[in-house]
Amino acid sequence: MNFIKRAGLSLWSRKGKTLLTLSTFLVIAVMVLAGVLINDATAAAEQKAKRSVGAEVNMEYDPSAAFTGQAPRIDSRTVDKIGALPQVQKFNYAMFDAASLKGGINLVTDGVDSAASGLGEGQTIVRGVLDSGLLPDFRSGKFKLLSGEHITAADKDKNKVLVEERLTAKNNLKVGDKIALAPVSGKGEEEFTVGGIYRDPSPSTEPDPEFFSNRSNLLYASIGSFSGLVSADSGSGALQVGSGSFLLNDADDLDAFKKKAAKIAGGQLEGFKLDTNDKAIQQMTGPLQSIRSSATLAMWLIALAGAAVLALLANLAVKQRRKEYGVLLSMGEKKSRLIAQQILETVVVAVLAIGLSSLFTQSLTQSVGQSLLSSQAAAAQDKLDSWKAPPPGSTGLSEGIDMNDQPVDNADPIDKITVGLAPSDIAVVGSIGLGIGLLATAVPAASVLRLSPRFILTKGK
């Protein structure tokens, strides 16, 4: 009799065993397919998050570099070349220095002791920028431009400045007014036009974390003009900047960008590091990674348990069919055809189980996965909402507060996924399920078939 026909008759005559094997295969297929679908859905959600946030690379001082006595600087023309790379969507660079306010402009003095910042009377921190709208505080919405316009690359060599609203209120300043700035050492004085008024929501009693000065007095100025006023090397025409940031078109361009940037800058990058600002992405995708790891662990645990059950069932089935094998072998049937029959029976059951699993696993995974993600996202959001900044003037160490845990604005944890079933997912489940079934079936069958027909028939079961 043809071994294919024998396989069909065997499955039909042993309905209980066939149903038990089918149920085991179905559990394995559902769990493996669910794990694959959740992996695909979370990967798609992560990629979408990366594209929505964009990859930002910061060129900043490297604390691990050898200290030379002054902060490192890099030629702005080099940064311009890096910013012109095809991977870059927008870029910015900045420098800061102290300056003296002239012409009767009074600084806001309430709340913060100016001595802590090392500034003298009438002196404040001015941050020269290429594009103020690309600064993190403005991009996130923390700082708000109340009137006027941002400083842009077109204003690089124009005497333009952004002033915080509390300083403008104290001095009755408005957009278009002039304020005079002078270097804290040396000669020279220049007038800058108030191009915009912005709001920093932080209280005046809370010092700036970078400069330890009163936040109300921090000015943003067009970088070319301000550098020419305060830099000793301004006459050389080489604008030197202390930091830069590059917003990439795609997060996948990160490695290529870093290699090309390092090649363009060469030794000028000494003292700097190109650091990816991926904290927002990590904050958004944390719940996704959590349910992915849980789904993967559950998938493999169920698969291994199912494989053990299948191996047990196959081993019992082979022992029950020893006499059948002995008769067939004594009639001249080839051992390879008996093993092929056993494999065929397994393949038929496995294919049926995989087909059944594809009918309902997608909707089941969507429901279960969404429920798990919503729970994880809510927990992550609660943790973010519970974070509190240390009191003014404190680093947070004495209170056990890690400033690295400070939440990123406008980066809420993702709480939705969309599960989709693709042919490739069925192929993955099929290969795993068939591999488990074949190993569980063929190994015990082959061990029996190594025996002689006479031994099988005389020893019986």
Short mmCIF file of all heavy atoms in Angstrom, two decimals, residues 138-205:
data_model
loop_
_atom_site.label_atom_id
_atom_site.label_comp_id
_atom_site.label_asym_id
_atom_site.label_seq_id
_atom_site.Cartn_x
_atom_site.Cartn_y
_atom_site.Cartn_z
N PHE A 138 13.09 75.48 23.01
CA PHE A 138 12.09 76.06 22.11
C PHE A 138 11.40 74.97 21.29
O PHE A 138 10.18 75.02 21.07
CB PHE A 138 12.73 77.08 21.18
CG PHE A 138 13.04 78.39 21.84
CD1 PHE A 138 14.35 78.74 22.15
CD2 PHE A 138 12.02 79.28 22.15
CE1 PHE A 138 14.64 79.96 22.75
CE2 PHE A 138 12.30 80.50 22.76
CZ PHE A 138 13.61 80.84 23.07
N ARG A 139 12.15 73.98 20.84
CA ARG A 139 11.56 72.89 20.04
C ARG A 139 10.55 72.09 20.85
O ARG A 139 9.52 71.64 20.32
CB ARG A 139 12.66 71.95 19.53
CG ARG A 139 13.37 72.45 18.29
CD ARG A 139 14.48 71.51 17.89
NE ARG A 139 14.01 70.14 17.80
CZ ARG A 139 14.75 69.07 18.03
NH1 ARG A 139 16.02 69.21 18.37
NH2 ARG A 139 14.26 67.87 17.91
N SER A 140 10.84 71.88 22.12
CA SER A 140 9.94 71.08 22.96
C SER A 140 8.70 71.87 23.39
O SER A 140 7.73 71.28 23.86
CB SER A 140 10.69 70.60 24.20
OG SER A 140 11.02 71.68 25.06
N GLY A 141 8.75 73.18 23.24
CA GLY A 141 7.63 74.00 23.68
C GLY A 141 7.78 74.52 25.09
O GLY A 141 6.89 75.23 25.59
N LYS A 142 8.88 74.17 25.76
CA LYS A 142 9.08 74.66 27.13
C LYS A 142 9.22 76.18 27.13
O LYS A 142 8.61 76.87 27.95
CB LYS A 142 10.32 74.01 27.74
CG LYS A 142 10.59 74.46 29.17
CD LYS A 142 11.85 73.80 29.74
CE LYS A 142 12.13 74.28 31.15
NZ LYS A 142 13.37 73.67 31.70
N PHE A 143 10.05 76.69 26.22
CA PHE A 143 10.17 78.13 26.05
C PHE A 143 9.21 78.56 24.94
O PHE A 143 9.04 77.84 23.95
CB PHE A 143 11.59 78.54 25.65
CG PHE A 143 12.61 78.44 26.76
CD1 PHE A 143 12.30 77.88 27.99
CD2 PHE A 143 13.90 78.91 26.56
CE1 PHE A 143 13.24 77.80 29.00
CE2 PHE A 143 14.85 78.84 27.56
CZ PHE A 143 14.52 78.27 28.78
N LYS A 144 8.60 79.72 25.11
CA LYS A 144 7.64 80.20 24.12
C LYS A 144 8.03 81.59 23.65
O LYS A 144 8.33 82.47 24.45
CB LYS A 144 6.23 80.23 24.72
CG LYS A 144 5.16 80.63 23.73
CD LYS A 144 3.78 80.59 24.38
CE LYS A 144 2.69 81.00 23.40
NZ LYS A 144 1.35 80.97 24.04
N LEU A 145 8.05 81.77 22.33
CA LEU A 145 8.34 83.08 21.78
C LEU A 145 7.04 83.90 21.80
O LEU A 145 6.06 83.57 21.13
CB LEU A 145 8.85 82.95 20.34
CG LEU A 145 9.40 84.23 19.71
CD1 LEU A 145 10.67 84.68 20.44
CD2 LEU A 145 9.69 84.02 18.23
N LEU A 146 7.02 84.95 22.62
CA LEU A 146 5.80 85.73 22.82
C LEU A 146 5.58 86.76 21.73
O LEU A 146 4.45 87.04 21.33
CB LEU A 146 5.85 86.43 24.18
CG LEU A 146 6.00 85.50 25.40
CD1 LEU A 146 6.11 86.33 26.67
CD2 LEU A 146 4.83 84.53 25.49
N SER A 147 6.65 87.33 21.24
CA SER A 147 6.54 88.33 20.18
C SER A 147 7.85 88.37 19.41
O SER A 147 8.89 87.91 19.89
CB SER A 147 6.21 89.71 20.75
OG SER A 147 7.22 90.14 21.65
N GLY A 148 7.79 88.95 18.20
CA GLY A 148 9.00 88.99 17.39
C GLY A 148 9.25 87.70 16.65
O GLY A 148 8.36 86.88 16.47
N GLU A 149 10.49 87.49 16.25
CA GLU A 149 10.89 86.32 15.46
C GLU A 149 12.13 85.68 16.04
O GLU A 149 12.94 86.33 16.71
CB GLU A 149 11.13 86.72 14.00
CG GLU A 149 9.91 87.27 13.29
CD GLU A 149 10.23 87.68 11.86
OE1 GLU A 149 11.43 87.85 11.56
OE2 GLU A 149 9.28 87.85 11.06
N HIS A 150 12.30 84.40 15.71
CA HIS A 150 13.50 83.69 16.14
C HIS A 150 14.72 84.19 15.39
O HIS A 150 14.62 84.71 14.26
CB HIS A 150 13.35 82.19 15.89
CG HIS A 150 12.67 81.46 17.01
ND1 HIS A 150 13.25 81.30 18.24
CD2 HIS A 150 11.46 80.84 17.08
CE1 HIS A 150 12.44 80.61 19.03
NE2 HIS A 150 11.34 80.33 18.35
N ILE A 151 15.87 83.99 15.99
CA ILE A 151 17.14 84.21 15.30
C ILE A 151 17.34 83.03 14.35
O ILE A 151 17.19 81.87 14.73
CB ILE A 151 18.29 84.28 16.31
CG1 ILE A 151 18.12 85.49 17.22
CG2 ILE A 151 19.64 84.33 15.60
CD1 ILE A 151 19.08 85.51 18.40
N THR A 152 17.68 83.32 13.10
CA THR A 152 17.90 82.27 12.11
C THR A 152 19.30 82.42 11.52
O THR A 152 20.03 83.37 11.82
CB THR A 152 16.86 82.35 10.99
OG1 THR A 152 17.04 83.57 10.25
CG2 THR A 152 15.44 82.32 11.56
N ALA A 153 19.64 81.47 10.64
CA ALA A 153 20.96 81.52 10.00
C ALA A 153 21.13 82.80 9.18
O ALA A 153 22.25 83.29 9.01
CB ALA A 153 21.13 80.29 9.10
N ALA A 154 20.03 83.35 8.69
CA ALA A 154 20.10 84.60 7.92
C ALA A 154 20.51 85.78 8.80
O ALA A 154 20.97 86.81 8.29
CB ALA A 154 18.76 84.88 7.26
N ASP A 155 20.34 85.63 10.12
CA ASP A 155 20.69 86.70 11.07
C ASP A 155 22.07 86.52 11.67
O ASP A 155 22.42 87.22 12.63
CB ASP A 155 19.66 86.73 12.22
CG ASP A 155 18.24 86.92 11.72
OD1 ASP A 155 18.03 87.77 10.85
OD2 ASP A 155 17.35 86.20 12.21
N LYS A 156 22.85 85.61 11.11
CA LYS A 156 24.13 85.23 11.72
C LYS A 156 25.01 86.44 12.04
O LYS A 156 25.61 86.51 13.12
CB LYS A 156 24.87 84.28 10.77
CG LYS A 156 26.21 83.80 11.27
CD LYS A 156 26.84 82.82 10.28
CE LYS A 156 28.21 82.36 10.74
NZ LYS A 156 28.82 81.40 9.76
N ASP A 157 25.10 87.39 11.13
CA ASP A 157 25.97 88.55 11.33
C ASP A 157 25.19 89.83 11.60
O ASP A 157 25.72 90.94 11.45
CB ASP A 157 26.88 88.72 10.11
CG ASP A 157 27.84 87.55 9.94
OD1 ASP A 157 28.42 87.12 10.94
OD2 ASP A 157 27.97 87.05 8.80
N LYS A 158 23.92 89.67 11.97
CA LYS A 158 23.10 90.83 12.33
C LYS A 158 23.05 90.95 13.85
O LYS A 158 23.02 89.95 14.56
CB LYS A 158 21.68 90.69 11.77
CG LYS A 158 21.64 90.63 10.25
CD LYS A 158 20.21 90.44 9.76
CE LYS A 158 20.17 90.35 8.24
NZ LYS A 158 18.79 90.13 7.73
N ASN A 159 23.01 92.15 14.32
CA ASN A 159 22.98 92.39 15.77
C ASN A 159 21.56 92.20 16.29
O ASN A 159 20.82 93.17 16.49
CB ASN A 159 23.49 93.79 16.10
CG ASN A 159 24.98 93.94 15.84
OD1 ASN A 159 25.58 93.12 15.15
ND2 ASN A 159 25.58 94.97 16.38
N LYS A 160 21.20 90.95 16.53
CA LYS A 160 19.84 90.61 16.94
C LYS A 160 19.90 89.81 18.24
O LYS A 160 20.79 88.98 18.43
CB LYS A 160 19.16 89.80 15.83
CG LYS A 160 17.68 89.54 16.06
CD LYS A 160 17.09 88.85 14.83
CE LYS A 160 15.61 88.53 15.02
NZ LYS A 160 15.05 87.86 13.82
N VAL A 161 18.95 90.05 19.13
CA VAL A 161 18.97 89.39 20.42
C VAL A 161 17.55 89.04 20.86
O VAL A 161 16.59 89.75 20.53
CB VAL A 161 19.66 90.29 21.48
CG1 VAL A 161 18.84 91.53 21.75
CG2 VAL A 161 19.97 89.54 22.75
N LEU A 162 17.41 87.90 21.56
CA LEU A 162 16.15 87.52 22.19
C LEU A 162 16.26 87.79 23.68
O LEU A 162 17.27 87.45 24.31
CB LEU A 162 15.85 86.03 21.97
CG LEU A 162 15.67 85.53 20.54
CD1 LEU A 162 15.23 84.06 20.56
CD2 LEU A 162 14.68 86.37 19.76
N VAL A 163 15.21 88.38 24.26
CA VAL A 163 15.23 88.79 25.67
C VAL A 163 14.08 88.12 26.40
O VAL A 163 12.96 88.03 25.87
CB VAL A 163 15.12 90.33 25.79
CG1 VAL A 163 15.29 90.76 27.25
CG2 VAL A 163 16.14 91.02 24.90
N GLU A 164 14.32 87.67 27.64
CA GLU A 164 13.28 87.03 28.43
C GLU A 164 12.29 88.09 28.92
O GLU A 164 12.67 89.23 29.20
CB GLU A 164 13.91 86.30 29.62
CG GLU A 164 13.15 85.05 30.07
CD GLU A 164 11.98 85.36 30.98
OE1 GLU A 164 12.08 86.37 31.72
OE2 GLU A 164 11.00 84.61 30.96
N GLU A 165 11.02 87.72 29.03
CA GLU A 165 9.96 88.70 29.29
C GLU A 165 10.12 89.45 30.61
O GLU A 165 9.73 90.61 30.73
CB GLU A 165 8.59 88.03 29.24
CG GLU A 165 8.34 87.00 30.32
CD GLU A 165 6.88 86.52 30.31
OE1 GLU A 165 6.01 87.25 29.84
OE2 GLU A 165 6.63 85.39 30.81
N ARG A 166 10.72 88.81 31.63
CA ARG A 166 10.87 89.50 32.91
C ARG A 166 11.89 90.62 32.83
O ARG A 166 11.75 91.67 33.48
CB ARG A 166 11.24 88.49 34.00
CG ARG A 166 10.08 87.63 34.46
CD ARG A 166 10.52 86.42 35.25
NE ARG A 166 11.13 85.41 34.39
CZ ARG A 166 11.33 84.14 34.75
NH1 ARG A 166 10.96 83.74 35.97
NH2 ARG A 166 11.89 83.28 33.93
N LEU A 167 12.93 90.41 32.00
CA LEU A 167 13.92 91.48 31.81
C LEU A 167 13.32 92.62 30.99
O LEU A 167 13.59 93.80 31.26
CB LEU A 167 15.15 90.91 31.11
CG LEU A 167 16.33 91.88 30.90
CD1 LEU A 167 16.84 92.41 32.24
CD2 LEU A 167 17.46 91.19 30.14
N THR A 168 12.50 92.28 30.00
CA THR A 168 11.87 93.35 29.20
C THR A 168 10.87 94.14 30.04
O THR A 168 10.74 95.36 29.88
CB THR A 168 11.15 92.76 27.97
OG1 THR A 168 10.13 91.86 28.40
CG2 THR A 168 12.13 92.03 27.07
N ALA A 169 10.15 93.42 30.92
CA ALA A 169 9.17 94.11 31.76
C ALA A 169 9.86 95.10 32.71
O ALA A 169 9.35 96.20 32.96
CB ALA A 169 8.36 93.10 32.55
N LYS A 170 11.00 94.71 33.23
CA LYS A 170 11.70 95.58 34.18
C LYS A 170 12.25 96.83 33.50
O LYS A 170 12.38 97.89 34.13
CB LYS A 170 12.83 94.81 34.85
CG LYS A 170 13.56 95.61 35.93
CD LYS A 170 14.42 94.75 36.82
CE LYS A 170 15.01 95.57 37.95
NZ LYS A 170 15.79 94.74 38.90
N ASN A 171 12.58 96.69 32.20
CA ASN A 171 13.19 97.81 31.49
C ASN A 171 12.30 98.42 30.41
O ASN A 171 12.77 99.23 29.60
CB ASN A 171 14.51 97.36 30.87
CG ASN A 171 15.54 96.96 31.90
OD1 ASN A 171 16.25 97.81 32.44
ND2 ASN A 171 15.63 95.68 32.19
N ASN A 172 11.02 98.01 30.41
CA ASN A 172 10.05 98.52 29.43
C ASN A 172 10.56 98.38 27.99
O ASN A 172 10.48 99.31 27.17
CB ASN A 172 9.74 100.01 29.71
CG ASN A 172 9.05 100.20 31.04
OD1 ASN A 172 8.13 99.45 31.39
ND2 ASN A 172 9.48 101.20 31.80
N LEU A 173 11.08 97.22 27.70
CA LEU A 173 11.60 96.95 26.36
C LEU A 173 10.53 96.28 25.51
O LEU A 173 9.66 95.56 26.01
CB LEU A 173 12.82 96.04 26.43
CG LEU A 173 14.07 96.59 27.12
CD1 LEU A 173 15.12 95.50 27.27
CD2 LEU A 173 14.63 97.76 26.31
N LYS A 174 10.62 96.52 24.22
CA LYS A 174 9.74 95.86 23.26
C LYS A 174 10.54 95.51 22.02
O LYS A 174 11.69 95.96 21.84
CB LYS A 174 8.55 96.75 22.93
CG LYS A 174 8.90 98.06 22.27
CD LYS A 174 7.66 98.89 22.03
CE LYS A 174 7.99 100.22 21.32
NZ LYS A 174 8.89 101.06 22.10
N VAL A 175 9.93 94.69 21.14
CA VAL A 175 10.60 94.28 19.91
C VAL A 175 10.95 95.52 19.09
O VAL A 175 10.11 96.41 18.90
CB VAL A 175 9.71 93.33 19.08
CG1 VAL A 175 10.33 93.04 17.72
CG2 VAL A 175 9.48 92.03 19.84
N GLY A 176 12.19 95.58 18.64
CA GLY A 176 12.67 96.72 17.86
C GLY A 176 13.51 97.68 18.66
O GLY A 176 14.24 98.51 18.08
N ASP A 177 13.44 97.62 19.99
CA ASP A 177 14.28 98.48 20.83
C ASP A 177 15.74 98.06 20.75
O ASP A 177 16.06 96.93 20.35
CB ASP A 177 13.80 98.45 22.28
CG ASP A 177 12.50 99.20 22.48
OD1 ASP A 177 12.08 99.92 21.55
OD2 ASP A 177 11.88 99.04 23.56
N LYS A 178 16.62 98.95 21.19
CA LYS A 178 18.06 98.69 21.16
C LYS A 178 18.59 98.50 22.58
O LYS A 178 18.15 99.19 23.51
CB LYS A 178 18.80 99.86 20.50
CG LYS A 178 18.30 100.24 19.11
CD LYS A 178 18.71 99.22 18.07
CE LYS A 178 18.32 99.72 16.68
NZ LYS A 178 18.72 98.77 15.63
N ILE A 179 19.52 97.54 22.72
CA ILE A 179 20.26 97.40 23.97
C ILE A 179 21.74 97.31 23.63
O ILE A 179 22.12 96.76 22.58
CB ILE A 179 19.82 96.17 24.80
CG1 ILE A 179 20.03 94.88 24.02
CG2 ILE A 179 18.37 96.29 25.23
CD1 ILE A 179 19.74 93.63 24.85
N ALA A 180 22.58 97.84 24.48
CA ALA A 180 24.02 97.86 24.23
C ALA A 180 24.70 96.76 25.03
O ALA A 180 24.42 96.57 26.21
CB ALA A 180 24.59 99.22 24.60
N LEU A 181 25.60 96.03 24.35
CA LEU A 181 26.38 94.98 24.98
C LEU A 181 27.86 95.30 24.84
O LEU A 181 28.30 95.84 23.81
CB LEU A 181 26.10 93.62 24.33
CG LEU A 181 24.69 93.05 24.48
CD1 LEU A 181 24.59 91.72 23.72
CD2 LEU A 181 24.35 92.84 25.94
N ALA A 182 28.62 94.95 25.88
CA ALA A 182 30.06 95.15 25.86
C ALA A 182 30.74 93.93 26.47
O ALA A 182 30.17 93.27 27.35
CB ALA A 182 30.43 96.41 26.65
N PRO A 183 31.95 93.58 26.02
CA PRO A 183 32.67 92.46 26.64
C PRO A 183 33.03 92.78 28.07
O PRO A 183 33.20 93.96 28.44
CB PRO A 183 33.91 92.32 25.74
CG PRO A 183 34.09 93.65 25.10
CD PRO A 183 32.72 94.23 24.94
N VAL A 184 33.14 91.75 28.90
CA VAL A 184 33.45 91.99 30.32
C VAL A 184 34.90 92.41 30.51
O VAL A 184 35.25 93.00 31.53
CB VAL A 184 33.16 90.73 31.16
CG1 VAL A 184 31.68 90.42 31.16
CG2 VAL A 184 33.95 89.52 30.65
N SER A 185 35.72 92.11 29.52
CA SER A 185 37.11 92.59 29.57
C SER A 185 37.47 93.12 28.18
O SER A 185 37.03 92.58 27.16
CB SER A 185 38.06 91.45 29.97
OG SER A 185 38.00 90.39 29.04
N GLY A 186 38.25 94.15 28.14
CA GLY A 186 38.59 94.75 26.85
C GLY A 186 37.63 95.87 26.51
O GLY A 186 36.72 96.21 27.29
N LYS A 187 37.83 96.44 25.34
CA LYS A 187 37.04 97.59 24.93
C LYS A 187 36.05 97.19 23.85
O LYS A 187 36.13 96.14 23.26
CB LYS A 187 37.97 98.69 24.41
CG LYS A 187 38.95 99.22 25.45
CD LYS A 187 39.82 100.31 24.88
CE LYS A 187 40.79 100.86 25.93
NZ LYS A 187 41.66 101.93 25.36
N GLY A 188 35.13 98.07 23.61
CA GLY A 188 34.14 97.84 22.56
C GLY A 188 32.74 97.80 23.12
O GLY A 188 32.51 97.38 24.25
N GLU A 189 31.82 98.26 22.33
CA GLU A 189 30.41 98.25 22.71
C GLU A 189 29.59 98.28 21.42
O GLU A 189 29.91 99.02 20.49
CB GLU A 189 30.09 99.46 23.58
CG GLU A 189 28.65 99.53 24.04
CD GLU A 189 28.39 100.73 24.94
OE1 GLU A 189 29.24 101.00 25.83
OE2 GLU A 189 27.35 101.39 24.75
N GLU A 190 28.54 97.47 21.39
CA GLU A 190 27.70 97.43 20.19
C GLU A 190 26.24 97.39 20.58
O GLU A 190 25.88 96.83 21.63
CB GLU A 190 28.02 96.20 19.33
CG GLU A 190 29.32 96.30 18.57
CD GLU A 190 29.43 95.24 17.47
OE1 GLU A 190 28.39 94.93 16.84
OE2 GLU A 190 30.53 94.71 17.29
N GLU A 191 25.43 97.97 19.71
CA GLU A 191 23.99 97.93 19.92
C GLU A 191 23.38 96.71 19.25
O GLU A 191 23.72 96.39 18.10
CB GLU A 191 23.34 99.21 19.36
CG GLU A 191 23.48 100.41 20.25
CD GLU A 191 22.58 101.55 19.79
OE1 GLU A 191 22.19 101.56 18.60
OE2 GLU A 191 22.26 102.41 20.63
N PHE A 192 22.49 96.05 19.97
CA PHE A 192 21.76 94.90 19.44
C PHE A 192 20.27 95.24 19.44
O PHE A 192 19.77 95.89 20.37
CB PHE A 192 22.02 93.66 20.28
CG PHE A 192 23.35 93.00 20.01
CD1 PHE A 192 24.53 93.59 20.44
CD2 PHE A 192 23.40 91.80 19.32
CE1 PHE A 192 25.75 92.99 20.19
CE2 PHE A 192 24.62 91.19 19.06
CZ PHE A 192 25.79 91.78 19.50
N THR A 193 19.58 94.77 18.42
CA THR A 193 18.14 95.00 18.32
C THR A 193 17.38 93.85 18.98
O THR A 193 17.71 92.67 18.76
CB THR A 193 17.71 95.10 16.84
OG1 THR A 193 18.41 96.17 16.23
CG2 THR A 193 16.21 95.33 16.72
N VAL A 194 16.39 94.18 19.77
CA VAL A 194 15.54 93.15 20.37
C VAL A 194 14.67 92.55 19.25
O VAL A 194 13.73 93.20 18.77
CB VAL A 194 14.65 93.73 21.49
CG1 VAL A 194 13.73 92.63 22.04
CG2 VAL A 194 15.50 94.31 22.60
N GLY A 195 15.03 91.35 18.82
CA GLY A 195 14.30 90.71 17.73
C GLY A 195 13.12 89.90 18.20
O GLY A 195 12.22 89.58 17.41
N GLY A 196 13.12 89.51 19.48
CA GLY A 196 12.03 88.70 20.00
C GLY A 196 12.04 88.68 21.52
O GLY A 196 13.08 88.91 22.16
N ILE A 197 10.87 88.43 22.08
CA ILE A 197 10.72 88.29 23.53
C ILE A 197 10.19 86.90 23.81
O ILE A 197 9.19 86.48 23.21
CB ILE A 197 9.75 89.37 24.09
CG1 ILE A 197 10.31 90.77 23.81
CG2 ILE A 197 9.53 89.17 25.58
CD1 ILE A 197 9.35 91.89 24.16
N TYR A 198 10.87 86.18 24.71
CA TYR A 198 10.48 84.80 24.98
C TYR A 198 10.14 84.62 26.45
O TYR A 198 10.45 85.47 27.29
CB TYR A 198 11.59 83.83 24.57
CG TYR A 198 12.80 83.82 25.48
CD1 TYR A 198 12.91 82.88 26.52
CD2 TYR A 198 13.84 84.73 25.31
CE1 TYR A 198 14.02 82.86 27.35
CE2 TYR A 198 14.95 84.72 26.13
CZ TYR A 198 15.05 83.79 27.16
OH TYR A 198 16.13 83.78 27.99
N ARG A 199 9.48 83.50 26.73
CA ARG A 199 9.10 83.19 28.12
C ARG A 199 9.75 81.89 28.56
O ARG A 199 9.61 80.86 27.92
CB ARG A 199 7.58 83.06 28.24
CG ARG A 199 7.11 82.58 29.63
CD ARG A 199 5.60 82.48 29.66
NE ARG A 199 5.00 83.81 29.55
CZ ARG A 199 3.74 84.02 29.19
NH1 ARG A 199 2.95 82.99 28.92
NH2 ARG A 199 3.26 85.25 29.12
N ASP A 200 10.48 81.98 29.67
CA ASP A 200 11.01 80.80 30.36
C ASP A 200 10.09 80.59 31.58
O ASP A 200 10.05 81.44 32.47
CB ASP A 200 12.45 81.05 30.80
CG ASP A 200 13.05 79.87 31.57
OD1 ASP A 200 12.29 78.92 31.89
OD2 ASP A 200 14.25 79.90 31.85
N PRO A 201 9.33 79.47 31.63
CA PRO A 201 8.36 79.30 32.72
C PRO A 201 8.99 79.04 34.07
O PRO A 201 8.29 79.05 35.08
CB PRO A 201 7.54 78.09 32.24
CG PRO A 201 8.48 77.31 31.39
CD PRO A 201 9.32 78.33 30.69
N SER A 202 10.28 78.79 34.11
CA SER A 202 10.94 78.51 35.40
C SER A 202 10.94 79.76 36.27
O SER A 202 11.10 80.88 35.76
CB SER A 202 12.37 78.03 35.17
OG SER A 202 12.40 76.92 34.31
N PRO A 203 10.77 79.58 37.56
CA PRO A 203 10.76 80.76 38.45
C PRO A 203 12.12 81.43 38.54
O PRO A 203 13.16 80.80 38.34
CB PRO A 203 10.35 80.16 39.80
CG PRO A 203 10.73 78.71 39.72
CD PRO A 203 10.54 78.31 38.29
N SER A 204 12.11 82.72 38.85
CA SER A 204 13.36 83.47 38.97
C SER A 204 14.23 82.95 40.10
O SER A 204 15.46 83.13 40.10
CB SER A 204 13.05 84.96 39.21
OG SER A 204 12.36 85.51 38.12
N THR A 205 13.60 82.30 41.07
CA THR A 205 14.35 81.78 42.21
C THR A 205 15.13 80.51 41.87
O THR A 205 15.93 80.04 42.67
CB THR A 205 13.39 81.46 43.36
OG1 THR A 205 12.35 80.59 42.89
CG2 THR A 205 12.77 82.74 43.91
#
